[in-house]
Amino acid sequence: MEYFSLDGKWQLINHQYSIKIPVKIPGSVFEALIEQKIIEDPFYGLNEYKVKWVYESNWQYETKFDLLPNFTEKENVILRFNGLDTFAQVYLNKNLLGNTENMFVAYNFNIKSILKEKGNFLVVKFKSPTVKARDEIKKYNINLNTGYAALPGIPYLRKAQYSFGWDWGPKLPDMGVWKSVELFAYNNLKIDSVYPYSIFNYNKDFIQINNQDYIPSKKIASIKLYIIIKIESNLENLSDLGYKINVKITSPDGEILTEEIPVENLNVKVELNIENPYLWWTHDLGIPNLYEIETSIFNEILIDKCTQKFGLRDIQLITNKDKWGETFYFTLNGIPIFAKGANWIPIDSFIPRGKRLGLYENNLKCAKDANMNMIRVWGGGIYENDYFYDLCDKLGILVWQDFPFACSIYPDYEDFFKIIKEEAIQNIKRLRHHPSLALWCGNNEIEWLWNMYSKSCDIIEDPDILIKYKNGYINLFEVILPDLIKELDPLRSYWPSSPSNGFVGLNVGISDSNSPNHGDSHFWAVWHGGKPFSAYRKFNSRFISEFGFESFPSIKTIKSFCPPEQLKFNTPILENHQKNSAGNTKIMRYTKRRFLIPEDFEKQTILSQIAQAEAIEYGVEHWRQNRNEFHCMGALYWQLNDCWPVASWSSLDYYGRWKALHYFAKRFYHPIFVSVKEEKNSVSFWVSNDKTKSVNTRLNWKIYDSNNNILKKGIFKSIIEPFSSKMLGIIDVSDINKTKKDLQNHIIFYSLEEKDNNNIIHRGFRLFDAPKSFSLKDPELELNFQENEKNEFEILEIKICIKTNQIALYVFINADTLDFIASDNYFSMEPGETRVIKLKDIRFVKSNKKLIFKEIKERIHVRSLYDLQKEYAFE
Ligand code: BMA
């Protein structure tokens, strides 16, 4: 097999606007226009509206290339586009090779007959996606759309739906050659796909844990590894031709296992017994061990070779009938896991640029740092880049993968289904070897939408046509896609929609997709429904796959798109960087319920982040308390990241800056976590242990008044069994919380330590009322900075020792001109407490200047709620 990459620099042409500029492959039209300064940054100010012409017009990519002679001598020469976004005609040496219409698939063209040794001329002509969407609406005479933020007609297009606008995303549909382009040449046969999968044989030694269901011990009796190799060839009598396949498996410790078998037909199955296996675990349970598999076909010489990584692990979605309805949880190698994580949207409006900027690594590393073990790739985005899954495999993070359909009725005609089948086949085959991939899910919120449309539908009013589309839905998401999974990836579970109750067929649209007793749920009464965040405590769910709360990003991020004169929550630019209708006003309204609002906009942004973090923590506490008997087994908040700088539900902003929520997540997703339920007359403490071993704990708690007097204190000692949540006890507070004023001025501090080594696992606090009614004093924080780690060039890590003599709420470390990640942030301290915080990944916001200790020290501020509220403008 000969291989030749066509990545690099091509030309990008727009005839209508007489533009001819260089463009990167992989890359995109928007990225090239920004780089060549043809357009101003579309993220800045209101520029989003100035660049409409870009996606309303057509673009042409061109390149010339010569080949090495050994290439043209081969019988087959394939030109492969790993991704074209989206509607294109491909020409080579003026011959039309074909049309493309799906951003999510690779296109292969056999170009043997038109390829020259020298001076090949390749042209890809892209048509405007928005013009195409309007054409489709006209053609089918139905205005299929998402019903809100996005441009109309997009359900007709197999192109990332978010790029046409979402309630957190701008309308910037990009175009171009967004993945690699390559040529490969071969004679008679090549490897089409290699699919390793393993079957686990658990020993029957069951252990009983804490009155729960029976959980198999993780001792694995044996593992059988199967490898299915598909060969592509038009040779007849393959078995007589002497071809062989060699499979070489390298274990994480370098041990090599090989197997060689003759090729007798196009499907080869290799079977191996794996002794002493290294299992793949999520990072919170163990090591995400990866094996490597190298598959080669040869006769006298090597014909083709393919290398990939895989993991030995068994993942299952368990849906068993129980007293509430039906369970919904995953087991990993027999261990039931509480999924902790967030929803993932595409990394950038211009995805290839985001990849170049390192956003995949950064966002996923931050997810792991925040103790997340599962990410849901949401259906309004894309099947992610290979790189994304490679990173999840390596970091030990599970992936819930939606097929890319969201919030809309989709076409129901055969040609559309044909396109989807091809798309699904390609992507299932591309991704199924990844151990991180836990679940295929049909779509985002469409089953739920049918609940609504069974009452009325403004898009399709004729009930007969509506039924036709509903049957189309059932066909696609309950027949076509699950059948393909059964055929191509039979060991992985399929779930029809998120949320779904799991009842399929005639029940679509009739039974509640968001049932608290079956399947997964999206809970939006807080935020969209305007309810206080204490409403989370009233909603039980088997697995909560979406719930969210908005905040502003860091002021540094806001300044990247907003000039100083518009730095206010309701100016046109801030309103444009908020895509949920009246979202900024809502942020302010919610924040005001909790805090005194200062005049200063930066302080408002910080308070909005604290309100968001408190909200999500409330929800997670409740659902983690409910983990016994598998009542609730997952919490994935909406949303991890942003695709541009914006006010949204994310915990990481577009530049990777941690909002307060991300620091909170690091605490509330810790495998051993204390949660607290405060009520007027009582306070109860809970500990969740998601580890495989029991922990012997001691919880110290104290209740103070706002004058630093300790009113009550105590200790709970307890052994917390693995995979369980335990209520440690209830404290009666009716004697101290007699009046509203008492409630407002009392605070609980608590810390959990491991009894055997006094190691503090978790610290927390809780007020009985909104923080704004607690009378705070200036904590006059004492700071002591130390260099912690440096190399010969600069400081890598510093330590800050923070001491307080007063109650200090939401202590936060920040800097106007520096970025860093703190070991903890936005925490509260009791009188006399000292905390040591480490800052790593320290860098200047706008320069690569080296970091000097004195400069870092001068730029860092440590403040608290007292400073945010002391000059408040309104209540
Ligand atoms: C959910 C998602 C998204 C949306 C988010 C916030 O339901 O599935 O479609 O962006 O809510 O409204």
Side-chain angles (χ1 to χ4, degrees):
M1 169 90 83
E2 301 294 332
Y3 175 86
F4 187 78
S5 168
L6 289 176
D7 290 352
K9 252 193 194 132
W10 292 26
Q11 290 295 312
L12 178 65
I13 297 158
N14 184 314
H15 293 297
Q16 195 185 346
Y17 293 95
S18 306
I19 296 169
K20 188 167 185 176
I21 52 171
V23 62
K24 285 181 196 137
I25 308 288
S28 79
V29 169
F30 267 113
E31 188 189 19
L33 294 174
I34 297 165
E35 269 185 10
Q36 297 300 317
K37 305 204 166 25
I38 307 281
I39 55 171
E40 289 170 53
D41 176 7
F43 291 173
Y44 192 84
L46 303 176
N47 288 351
E48 178 191 348
Y49 302 115
K50 293 192 203 153
V51 295
K52 215 171 148 194
W53 64 273
V54 174
Y55 54 81
E56 281 286 319
S57 57
N58 301 330
W59 293 87
Q60 183 163 324
Y61 275 65
E62 287 182 5
T63 190
K64 288 203 173 109
F65 62 94
D66 300 334
L67 282 178
L68 302 170
N70 57 357
F71 226 90
T72 44
E73 281 156 14
K74 300 274 186 211
E75 277 172 30
N76 301 293
V77 183
I78 307 292
L79 168 62
R80 179 178 173 88
F81 291 94
N82 284 295
L84 290 174
D85 181 9
T86 293
F87 303 96
Q89 290 182 314
V90 182
Y91 293 86
L92 180 65
N93 300 334
K94 299 208 172 131
N95 297 282
L96 175 66
L97 300 181
N99 294 305
T100 73
E101 57 192 347
N102 190 340
M103 150 187 206
F104 306 125
V105 297
Y107 286 92
N108 292 322
F109 302 105
N110 197 330
I111 52 169
K112 170 76 184 168
S113 59
I114 41 178
L115 195 65
K116 302 190 281 192
E117 258 177 47
K118 294 222 174 311
N120 289 292
F121 186 45
L122 180 58
V123 177
V124 187
K125 294 182 182 177
F126 286 97
K127 180 185 163 99
S128 151
T130 38
V131 171
K132 175 81 182 167
R134 293 196 292 271
D135 291 351
E136 298 293 289
I137 294 177
K138 243 183 258 153
K139 184 167 154 196
Y140 295 100
N141 204 20
I142 293 186
N143 184 12
L144 291 185
N145 63 47
T146 62
Y148 60 103
L151 292 164
I154 59 164
Y156 290 108
L157 316 184
R158 292 314 292 148
K159 174 163 166 58
Q161 307 278 279
Y162 84 104
S163 66
F164 296 88
W166 216 262
D167 58 2
W168 36 260
K171 294 181 174 51
L172 291 169
D174 205 355
M175 300 156 80
V177 182
W178 73 298
K179 290 191 174 178
S180 289
V181 186
E182 56 206 4
L183 283 177
F184 51 90
Y186 65 101
N187 277 339
N188 296 316
L189 69 177
K190 72 174 192 65
I191 300 171
D192 171 69
S193 62
V194 176
Y195 169 40
Y197 66 90
S198 39
I199 304 277
F200 279 48
N201 194 353
Y202 295 99
N203 64 23
K204 296 288 177 241
D205 164 32
F206 287 101
I207 48 171
Q208 199 184 358
I209 294 172
N210 199 22
N211 269 342
Q212 296 185 27
D213 219 339
Y214 285 98
I215 294 163
S217 95
K218 57 176 182 149
K219 287 203 188 82
I220 310 294
S222 69
I223 293 180
K224 264 223 176 320
L225 175 66
Y226 300 91
I227 301 149
I228 296 182
I229 301 148
K230 239 183 139 96
I231 295 167
E232 207 175 290
S233 168
N234 42 22
L235 288 174
E236 284 175 11
N237 302 329
L238 249 188
S239 53
D240 304 334
L241 301 176
Y243 288 103
K244 284 187 183 152
I245 284 234
N246 182 289
V247 173
K248 180 173 143 200
I249 311 271
T250 312
S251 79
D253 65 2
E255 204 180 305
I256 291 176
L257 213 87
T258 54
E259 185 84 11
E260 200 167 284
I261 50 170
V263 175
E264 283 171 346
N265 56 45
L266 297 178
N267 288 304
V268 179
K269 190 168 179 182
V270 179
E271 222 179 289
L272 295 162
N273 259 329
I274 304 282
E275 307 290 335
N276 307 320
Y278 287 91
L279 301 187
W280 184 90
W281 291 102
T282 48
H283 63 89
D284 50 345
L285 290 175
I287 297 170
N289 288 302
L290 292 174
Y291 284 73
E292 189 179 271
I293 173 166
E294 188 184 284
T295 312
S296 11
I297 311 187
F298 62 100
N299 44 22
E300 275 90 65
I301 51 160
L302 177 69
I303 311 283
D304 194 8
K305 190 164 102 175
C306 146
T307 308
Q308 64 193 38
K309 295 240 177 356
F310 72 98
L312 293 174
R313 65 102 183 84
D314 171 37
I315 184 109
Q316 294 186 25
L317 173 67
I318 310 292
T319 51
N320 288 336
K321 297 257 171 297
D322 68 3
K323 63 177 172 194
W324 293 284
E326 206 170 78
T327 63
F328 189 100
Y329 66 93
F330 295 89
T331 55
L332 175 64
N333 306 330
I335 302 281
I337 50 171
F338 190 101
K340 299 179 280 283
N343 284 269
W344 173 274
I345 62 162
I347 48 172
D348 198 319
S349 287
F350 317 125
I351 296 169
R353 178 182 71 174
K355 182 165 186 247
R356 255 188 275 282
L357 291 173
L359 301 184
Y360 280 112
E361 291 91 333
N362 188 66
N363 292 347
L364 287 171
K365 245 179 81 300
C366 292
K368 182 184 167 193
D369 283 351
N371 289 313
M372 297 187 184
N373 60 12
M374 183 179 273
I375 294 289
R376 170 173 172 241
V377 179
W378 163 78
I382 59 174
Y383 302 91
E384 271 300 346
N385 244 284
D386 292 343
Y387 192 49
F388 167 89
Y389 305 94
D390 289 344
L391 283 166
C392 291
D393 290 349
K394 222 162 73 185
L395 294 169
I397 300 175
L398 292 168
V399 179
W400 166 315
Q401 178 70 49
D402 283 3
F403 281 94
F405 302 89
C407 306
S408 173
I409 296 179
Y410 279 82
D412 72 333
Y413 45 84
E414 265 317 307
D415 284 354
F416 186 75
F417 293 155
K418 220 171 117 201
I419 293 170
I420 302 302
K421 275 184 205 159
E422 173 58 22
E423 170 191 317
I425 291 169
Q426 279 201 23
N427 283 289
I428 297 165
K429 284 167 80 174
R430 178 169 71 90
L431 303 180
R432 63 189 170 182
H433 65 280
H434 287 283
S436 56
L437 186 60
L439 179 78
W440 291 104
C441 170
N443 63 67
N444 177 69
E445 293 186 349
I446 309 182
E447 186 188 297
W448 194 17
L449 205 68
W450 282 110
N451 290 170
M452 240 129 59
Y453 286 163
S454 44
K455 285 165 212 126
S456 83
C457 174
D458 49 345
I459 295 171
I460 303 173
E461 282 169 11
D462 181 329
D464 295 334
I465 301 183
L466 194 61
I467 286 279
K468 213 166 82 40
Y469 274 85
K470 184 167 150 181
N471 289 336
Y473 172 89
I474 296 172
N475 188 19
L476 180 54
F477 296 106
E478 298 186 358
V479 181
I480 296 176
L481 291 177
D483 281 357
L484 286 173
I485 301 291
K486 256 182 231 140
E487 181 191 330
L488 299 167
D489 193 10
L491 294 180
R492 231 175 232 107
S493 299
Y494 174 83
W495 188 246
S497 184
S498 180
S500 173
N501 50 35
F503 304 146
V504 292
L506 295 177
N507 276 302
V508 166
I510 296 165
S511 57
D512 178 13
S513 291
N514 229 345
S515 148
N517 298 323
H518 297 85
D520 66 323
S521 25
H522 293 187
F523 184 71
W524 282 106
V526 180
W527 186 262
H528 286 309
K531 290 248 159 73
F533 49 71
S534 53
Y536 287 131
R537 283 189 180 166
K538 298 191 184 111
F539 185 77
N540 289 332
S541 165
R542 310 315 304 259
F543 189 110
I544 182 104
S545 45
E546 272 191 26
F547 61 108
F549 199 95
E550 277 205 4
S551 70
F552 292 108
S554 141
I555 195 75
K556 289 176 269 192
T557 298
I558 296 176
K559 285 180 179 167
S560 78
F561 63 75
C562 186
E565 66 279 7
Q566 288 217 26
L567 288 174
K568 258 202 174 116
F569 79 92
N570 53 2
T571 57
I573 290 178
L574 257 299
E575 287 292 0
N576 187 45
H577 287 72
Q578 160 64 266
K579 298 297 190 188
N580 188 207
S581 89
N584 287 351
T585 310
K586 203 178 219 171
I587 294 180
M588 294 304 285
R589 215 184 313 128
Y590 263 117
T591 308
K592 218 171 92 180
R593 291 189 202 169
R594 308 284 303 158
F595 301 105
L596 305 172
I597 306 292
E599 196 74 61
D600 180 74
F601 182 53
E602 178 178 0
K603 289 182 179 165
Q604 294 174 0
T605 63
I606 297 170
L607 288 171
S608 79
Q609 290 190 15
I610 299 174
Q612 175 195 31
E614 285 182 323
I616 301 302
E617 181 183 53
Y618 242 72
V620 173
E621 282 192 333
H622 171 61
W623 294 306
R624 288 194 71 177
Q625 285 166 9
N626 272 359
R627 84 155 284 167
N628 290 348
E629 298 175 277
F630 312 112
H631 192 186
C632 179
M633 285 298 278
L636 310 178
Y637 63 75
W638 183 266
Q639 68 205 74
L640 179 71
N641 56 320
D642 283 328
C643 67
W644 76 315
V646 63
S648 81
W649 297 268
S650 73
S651 61
L652 294 174
D653 74 25
Y654 172 70
Y655 296 104
R657 296 190 171 113
W658 289 33
K659 291 182 178 176
L661 171 58
H662 210 76
Y663 287 105
F664 269 57
K666 185 176 176 187
R667 301 197 291 257
F668 63 58
Y669 282 154
H670 193 282
I672 303 165
F673 171 62
V674 190
S675 55
V676 54
K677 200 166 173 182
E678 78 293 348
E679 268 149 327
K680 186 171 178 284
N681 294 324
S682 68
V683 178
S684 53
F685 291 101
W686 299 69
V687 179
S688 304
N689 178 10
D690 290 348
K691 290 275 200 194
T692 51
K693 290 202 179 97
S694 56
V695 267
N696 197 351
T697 62
R698 183 166 48 217
L699 182 101
N700 294 298
W701 61 268
K702 285 180 204 150
I703 301 180
Y704 286 88
D705 66 17
S706 50
N707 293 320
N708 299 347
N709 300 311
I710 297 178
L711 306 178
K712 271 178 188 255
K713 64 178 184 177
I715 292 177
F716 289 111
K717 291 182 191 160
S718 185
I719 293 177
I720 321 289
E721 301 287 342
F723 322 125
S724 74
S725 179
K726 183 172 182 180
M727 193 176 80
L728 301 182
I730 302 190
I731 312 160
D732 178 11
V733 287
S734 56
D735 53 337
I736 54 169
N737 280 348
K738 287 196 183 111
T739 63
K740 187 158 174 60
K741 208 153 184 63
D742 290 337
L743 269 176
Q744 290 175 334
N745 281 297
H746 291 166
I747 182 167
I748 315 148
F749 281 99
Y750 52 91
S751 65
L752 183 79
E753 56 187 45
E754 259 179 275
K755 224 174 128 209
D756 311 329
N757 55 19
N758 296 340
N759 175 24
I760 294 195
I761 308 172
H762 185 88
R763 280 190 173 107
F765 86 103
R766 184 56 47 87
L767 290 160
F768 290 92
D769 203 339
K772 66 178 175 185
S773 20
F774 189 84
S775 35
L776 278 171
K777 300 186 184 64
D778 186 349
E780 294 172 1
L781 301 170
E782 286 168 39
L783 309 178
N784 183 7
F785 290 80
Q786 279 168 33
E787 296 179 11
N788 202 36
E789 214 185 294
K790 61 179 176 181
N791 62 23
E792 54 182 308
F793 308 109
E794 61 181 344
I795 303 288
L796 299 177
E797 197 177 278
I798 67 161
K799 250 192 204 169
I800 311 176
C801 194
I802 306 169
K803 194 168 178 291
T804 181
N805 290 319
Q806 298 286 346
I807 290 169
L809 298 186
Y810 300 109
V811 176
F812 62 96
I813 306 159
N814 74 357
D816 301 339
T817 48
L818 289 179
D819 278 316
F820 51 80
I821 293 176
S823 55
D824 199 1
N825 216 345
Y826 299 95
F827 47 83
S828 295
M829 297 169 73
E830 59 186 294
E833 195 183 328
T834 301
R835 291 264 182 131
V836 179
I837 303 295
K838 285 183 200 156
L839 305 189
K840 61 170 189 174
D841 291 355
I842 311 169
R843 57 200 179 275
F844 283 101
V845 172
K846 277 194 182 139
S847 87
N848 292 325
K849 249 177 46 186
K850 72 176 190 185
L851 296 157
I852 298 164
F853 181 59
K854 187 168 163 285
E855 251 183 297
I856 300 176
K857 210 174 118 176
E858 282 166 8
R859 284 158 195 259
I860 281 177
H861 317 288
V862 182
R863 300 197 178 109
S864 72
L865 186 61
Y866 175 82
D867 305 287
L868 295 174
Q869 291 192 148
K870 67 180 169 199
E871 285 151 15
Y872 66 90
F874 50 96
E875 258 178 75

